[in-house]
Amino acid sequence: MVSRVIPVQPFDLVIFGGTGDLARRKILPALFRRFCAGQMAEDARVIGAARGDMNAAGYRGFARDAITEFDGDITMMEAHLARFLEQVDYVTLDAAGDVGWPELAAKLTGADHTRAFYFSVGPALFGPLATRLYDHGLASPGCRIVVEKPFGRDLASARKLNAVLAEHFDETQIYRIDHYLGKETVQNLMAIRFANTLFEPLWNSQYVDHMQITVAESGGVGTRGGYYDKSGAMRDMMQNHIMQLLCLTAMEPPAKYDPDSVRDEKLKVIRALDPVEPGDVVRGQYESTDTLPGYRNEVENRDTTTESFVALKARIGNWRWAGTPFYLRTGKRLRARASEIAVVFKDAPHSIFGADAGRHRNILTIRLQPNEGIEMGVTIKEPGPGGMRLVDVPLDMTFSEALGPQSEDIPDAYERLIMDVIRGDQTLFMRGDEVEAAWAWTDPIIEGWEAAGTQPELYSTGSSGPDDALALIHRDGRRWREIKP
Ligand code: BG6
């Protein structure tokens, strides 16, 4: 199989915060890879904009270093890199002042290109940037703006950000990134659900006992402690990435694969979520080991009550899911980096093999990362004489084996998403009302913790999280899937 690369129309992409961490680690390497794949037109331009006093040559050096550092071995790509850098430019600019705006406007004038502005800056600068783009005549009707998470830290701040952007831009111009939606396997969730007839008849509370969504990380907060300690797992992962996975798992089939059809269905799921009972949510914080610092040491805050782990039981109050709980968990410094969605089906209504045959359940697991694939647990007869003994075995398909070399060429989430911005496809971006609805659901949970002033439960590095998280599901007579690499 050969993957088809369809070039996108010529574009000018301005990266505000062009010398920042995200530009270095993700945006510039992603653009370079799309360039190598032949997707960027020869006259497309990438313009870094930041306060630093630098010329275009200096920024090209910065981009070269970033790509070399974050794109692995690029020795084969040297020629490509030189050509890519010719399309890279820079402007010294003050996002909240006047410096640099006329120069930027001059660079953008004349070209009949799709214009995109990447706000790779803190949310406090969204307003000033939007206003200046408008004042300098750059907020043309066809232009797009791209904003990153965190989109607010609660419903009130998210509403403010939406209002600030809406002053000068239409919702169809705003691309709110949740990079999980750009992951190939996350998109595959929709393909698995809606391109196969096999699953849909069973995908409801009549057949599904419960769902488990796990996004486990083995790393700690590392150098991001300053940001993370003000957020915690609930704001950093649950409100966005896990919520998106929940939506794609639980939503009704959209009529079409287009931005509003898909996002309307996701929104309905979020709005149908019941409030979470305080007893149905557990938070944790990792302890130090002999060799690794604990959460508190890493964020250099001995009294912090921020959680690095959260697990909860969500209930969706609609016809499809009434009675089927969704157990969600995410955390850092867990046993392995492993993300999956497990659909645990109900027991067979009657066992013809008697009580001795034990309890056997079909479990469909969609592995998101690493080792992306699908596994279906089926029950068969254990070979050999001595009666009917049953055993559960996996029907296992790893995408890389099934698809061959093509699957090794899977674009990073940012590659896919940035190209979608240029193409004008918002399907994999969050709409303003979706983000607000997600905060409306998580806010009371966080407020409850703040009001109670309780500490998160400590858990050991390399474990599956705090004991209370195990109890959360055990008391319902269920168990978490093992977190394994
Ligand atoms: C980010 C979070 O959005 O996602 C990080 O801020 C987290 O804390 C990361 O580590 C996980 O992304 P991925 O792609 O490594 O699963």
Side-chain angles (χ1 to χ4, degrees):
M1 273 180 277
V2 179
S3 56
R4 282 177 307 133
V5 172
I6 303 170
V8 294
Q9 69 270 31
F11 63 85
D12 290 338
L13 173 69
V14 180
I15 312 172
F16 295 115
T19 52
D21 195 49
L22 186 72
R24 218 164 55 85
R25 280 187 304 114
K26 294 288 182 188
I27 306 173
L28 289 165
L31 285 163
F32 175 58
R33 284 193 292 268
R34 288 298 89 205
F35 176 87
C36 294
Q39 207 162 21
M40 254 177 80
E42 277 178 13
D43 55 348
R45 287 182 300 171
V46 176
I47 304 174
R51 264 195 310 208
D53 196 9
M54 202 188 270
N55 58 18
Y59 192 61
R60 289 187 188 126
F62 172 86
R64 168 184 282 279
D65 291 346
I67 291 163
T68 317
E69 183 177 351
F70 293 99
D71 224 2
D73 180 11
I74 60 146
T75 36
M76 306 287 290
M77 309 282 195
E78 267 304 321
H80 278 102
L81 185 53
R83 279 197 287 119
F84 171 74
L85 293 175
E86 282 170 21
Q87 296 179 224
V88 172
D89 201 350
Y90 181 77
V91 55
T92 302
L93 174 140
D94 183 359
D98 296 322
V99 173
W101 288 95
E103 290 76 6
L104 178 63
K107 281 185 196 290
L108 294 176
T109 312
D112 184 19
H113 285 182
T114 296
R115 261 184 213 168
F117 300 102
Y118 203 127
F119 289 16
S120 181
V121 293
L125 287 177
F126 289 3
L129 279 176
T131 310
R132 277 163 188 73
L133 284 172
Y134 180 78
D135 290 347
H136 290 274
L138 298 173
S140 48
C143 81
R144 286 125 213 204
I145 60 168
V146 188
V147 291
E148 277 286 333
K149 73 167 261 264
F151 198 83
R153 53 177 288 107
D154 53 19
L155 176 58
S157 52
R159 273 195 181 139
K160 268 193 203 142
L161 289 178
N162 275 336
V164 155
L165 297 179
E167 274 176 33
H168 302 300
F169 299 93
D170 185 75
E171 181 63 33
T172 55
Q173 296 177 278
I174 304 171
Y175 290 71
R176 295 177 196 78
I177 289 204
D178 180 315
H179 81 281
Y180 265 55
L181 290 176
K183 287 182 189 269
E184 194 79 6
T185 39
V186 174
Q187 294 164 56
N188 227 330
L189 241 178
M190 279 188 276
I192 290 166
R193 280 199 61 196
F194 304 128
N196 296 284
T197 47
L198 188 64
F199 302 117
E200 176 55 22
L202 306 177
W203 210 268
N204 53 55
S205 59
Q206 208 184 332
Y207 292 98
V208 178
D209 177 74
H210 72 279
M211 298 269 191
Q212 294 187 21
I213 301 182
T214 300
V215 177
E217 297 185 88
S218 51
V221 290
T223 53
R224 295 169 69 236
Y227 148 76
Y228 193 91
D229 202 37
K230 293 196 198 76
S231 302
M234 194 71 180
R235 290 190 172 99
D236 184 53
M237 297 291 289
M238 188 65 80
Q239 185 271 348
N240 39 81
H241 304 326
I242 298 208
M243 186 74 95
Q244 290 297 321
L245 297 179
L246 170 71
C247 287
L248 298 179
T249 309
M251 72 187 187
E252 295 301 314
K256 281 186 262 165
Y257 185 72
D258 70 21
D260 280 333
S261 306
V262 171
R263 296 185 302 177
D264 286 347
E265 294 306 335
K266 288 198 293 166
L267 180 62
K268 283 187 211 160
V269 174
I270 306 176
R271 290 195 173 150
L273 281 165
D274 291 342
V276 177
E277 300 290 329
D280 283 347
V281 52
V282 172
R283 57 200 195 120
Q285 214 182 56
Y286 55 85
E287 288 182 294
S288 43
T289 65
D290 292 345
T291 49
L292 289 168
Y295 177 79
R296 290 176 185 195
N297 307 90
E298 259 187 332
V299 302
E300 296 174 3
N301 179 0
R302 277 192 325 151
D303 304 319
T304 178
T305 58
T306 302
E307 75 289 350
S308 59
F309 174 99
V310 64
L312 59 83
K313 177 160 76 169
R315 294 185 174 281
I316 302 174
N318 64 18
W319 272 48
R320 187 186 283 263
W321 294 119
T324 296
F326 284 65
Y327 296 94
L328 317 176
R329 66 180 163 165
T330 183
K332 295 197 183 282
R333 282 274 178 82
L334 296 175
R335 183 168 298 151
R337 175 171 185 260
S339 301
E340 63 167 43
I341 294 168
V343 187
V344 182
F345 290 94
K346 289 189 170 168
D347 294 346
H350 165 71
S351 170
I352 65 167
F353 305 111
D356 289 349
R359 193 179 190 192
H360 297 273
R361 287 190 151 177
N362 298 122
I363 302 180
L364 172 71
T365 311
I366 301 163
R367 288 192 303 268
L368 303 175
Q369 63 187 25
N371 197 18
E372 295 82 354
I374 313 182
E375 181 185 303
M376 181 75 217
V378 285
T379 304
I380 59 166
K381 178 186 173 303
E382 195 179 308
M388 186 61 105
R389 291 185 308 274
L390 301 181
V391 61
D392 296 333
V393 291
L395 264 175
D396 195 344
M397 183 185 73
T398 300
F399 294 149
S400 61
E401 281 168 17
L403 298 171
Q406 182 196 4
S407 64
E408 284 159 24
D409 217 15
I410 288 178
D412 170 75
Y414 277 86
E415 294 176 58
R416 164 72 201 248
L417 294 176
I418 296 172
M419 289 301 108
D420 277 359
V421 171
I422 305 301
R423 280 187 280 253
D425 184 347
Q426 289 186 302
T427 312
L428 300 177
F429 295 83
M430 293 182 295
R431 213 169 50 193
D433 50 4
E434 243 185 287
V435 179
E436 291 186 14
W439 281 121
W441 186 67
T442 46
D443 272 4
I445 305 174
I446 298 171
E447 284 160 10
W449 291 336
E450 284 168 359
T454 46
Q455 292 284 341
E457 190 187 337
L458 296 176
Y459 62 93
S460 317
T461 288
S463 70
S464 304
D467 290 344
D468 281 355
L470 302 181
L472 172 78
I473 190 165
H474 281 178
R475 66 169 194 236
D476 294 344
R478 301 176 174 117
R479 58 178 55 244
W480 288 111
R481 307 240 323 141
E482 196 187 338
I483 296 177
K484 53 181 186 212

